[in-house]
Amino acid sequence: MEKIIQITSGRGPAECSWVVAQVLKTFIDEAKENNIKTTMLQRETGIETGTVETATILLENDHLDAFVNSWIGTIQWIGQSQFRKFHKRKNWFIGIFEIEKSSATEISENEIQYQAMRSSGAGGQHVNKVSSAVRATHIPTGISVVSMDSRSQHQNKKLATERLLQKFKEETVKQFKAEFQAQWMNQLQIQRGNPVRVFQGSDFKKQKQEKNYKQERQRLKREDYFDRE
C-alpha cells in the first residue's frame, strides 16, 4: 500500500513553517517506529532558517490507514514565537492532507492494444483494399491514436506508438497541474480548532492524550455525584 501525505503551513507566517519542520521530523520518526518506509517527494524550505513551507512524503507499508488517520487534519502548536519575541499569539496551526496518488507516468508495451484498419482518404486502390492503418490504444486510460501516414503497417504501428506516448505525456502533465492546484487549495483550507494532535513548547513535546479527556472525566464525576444526591 502507498499513500502520499502533504504537510503544509498554508499561508501561515514563519512560525507555522517552523511547526511544519518540527512535525515533519516527528512524523518521519513515528513512521520509522511503525516500520513504514518514507520517501521525500517534495520539500519547500521557508524564509527563516530551519523552517519548511510544505513537504510531500510517500509512505509505503501493508498497513497505513491507522497511522495516516492519526495525522490527517489540523495540527496545533502552543508556544511563544521563535521569530517575534513580543508577539502575543501562542496558538499556531498547520495542516496535514492526503493527496490522491498519481497514475503511472510510463506506458508498458503490454498495456498497448493495436488494431489494423483501412486507411481513408486519397491513396488509390491500395488504401481501399489493404488494412495498413493502425490504431493504438492504451488500455488502462483509454487514450487512443491512429496512424495512416505510411503504406507500411509496420511503419504505421511505430508512428502510432510514438504518438500514443506523446499524447500520454500531455495527459500526464494535465493531471500533474490539477494535482498541484489541489495541493495549493489544501494550503488554503487549514481549519483551526479540533486539532488531531497538539504539541507545545520549544522542545515540541506532544500534549499528553489524558489531558484531552480531563474535562470530560470531571463532567462525568459531577454527573455521578448529582445522581447519588
Side-chain angles (χ1 to χ4, degrees):
M1 181 185 293
E2 295 182 347
K3 288 182 179 289
I4 298 177
I5 301 301
Q6 183 188 53
I7 307 174
T8 176
S9 64
R11 287 185 171 178
E15 290 83 358
C16 292
S17 299
W18 180 85
V19 176
V20 170
Q22 306 310 309
V23 167
L24 179 60
K25 294 176 186 176
T26 305
F27 182 89
I28 291 176
D29 288 343
E30 190 170 312
K32 289 179 180 178
E33 290 174 3
N34 286 274
N35 297 315
I36 297 172
K37 180 182 178 183
T38 61
T39 303
M40 187 71 65
L41 301 179
Q42 175 259 352
R43 185 175 183 272
E44 183 180 341
T45 58
I47 298 175
E48 299 289 345
T49 303
T51 62
V52 177
E53 292 284 346
T54 181
T56 307
I57 309 113
L58 172 66
L59 304 178
E60 298 176 76
N61 190 278
D62 292 336
H63 307 284
L64 287 174
D65 289 340
F67 175 78
V68 169
N69 290 339
S70 72
W71 280 98
I72 295 296
T74 300
I75 306 294
Q76 179 182 6
W77 176 64
I78 304 171
Q80 181 65 46
S81 169
Q82 306 265 343
F83 310 107
R84 294 177 284 179
K85 185 175 289 186
F86 301 106
H87 199 284
K88 294 182 179 180
R89 180 176 167 183
K90 296 292 179 65
N91 293 288
W92 312 89
F93 299 89
I94 68 165
I96 298 185
F97 306 90
E98 182 178 354
I99 297 176
E100 192 68 27
K101 190 175 181 294
S102 302
S103 58
T105 55
E106 295 181 357
I107 290 181
S108 173
E109 182 69 27
N110 57 17
E111 295 177 338
I112 303 176
Q113 182 181 69
Y114 296 97
Q115 178 185 3
M117 52 188 292
R118 290 191 177 184
S119 299
S120 59
Q125 293 182 348
H126 172 80
V127 171
N128 296 325
K129 295 180 180 180
V130 181
S131 300
S132 59
V134 175
R135 180 190 301 277
T137 304
H138 182 231
I139 299 173
T141 61
I143 297 174
S144 180
V145 296
V146 174
S147 174
M148 56 180 69
D149 302 53
S150 173
R151 291 189 176 185
S152 165
Q153 187 180 100
H154 176 75
Q155 185 63 23
N156 279 331
K157 181 179 180 181
K158 181 179 178 181
L159 290 171
T161 302
E162 292 174 355
R163 290 174 183 173
L164 182 64
L165 292 174
Q166 180 61 35
K167 189 171 182 180
F168 181 81
K169 288 180 180 178
E170 292 172 356
E171 292 298 323
T172 301
V173 169
K174 289 180 182 179
Q175 184 177 356
F176 281 156
K177 287 181 178 179
E179 290 175 0
F180 179 81
Q181 182 65 26
Q183 291 179 23
W184 178 245
M185 290 303 296
N186 283 343
Q187 295 184 9
L188 304 181
Q189 292 173 358
I190 295 175
Q191 300 293 323
R192 298 183 181 184
N194 299 320
V196 294
R197 298 201 183 198
V198 179
F199 298 88
Q200 56 189 357
S202 58
D203 53 357
F204 211 74
K205 285 186 177 180
K206 183 180 178 182
Q207 195 175 76
K208 291 183 178 180
Q209 190 71 15
E210 290 76 16
K211 292 184 178 180
N212 294 336
Y213 302 104
K214 185 176 180 180
Q215 292 181 350
E216 180 66 13
R217 288 202 306 270
Q218 290 176 345
R219 184 184 66 80
L220 292 173
K221 285 181 180 179
R222 286 196 300 269
E223 289 180 357
D224 183 58
Y225 174 79
F226 288 118
D227 287 342
R228 291 177 183 178
E229 290 293 316

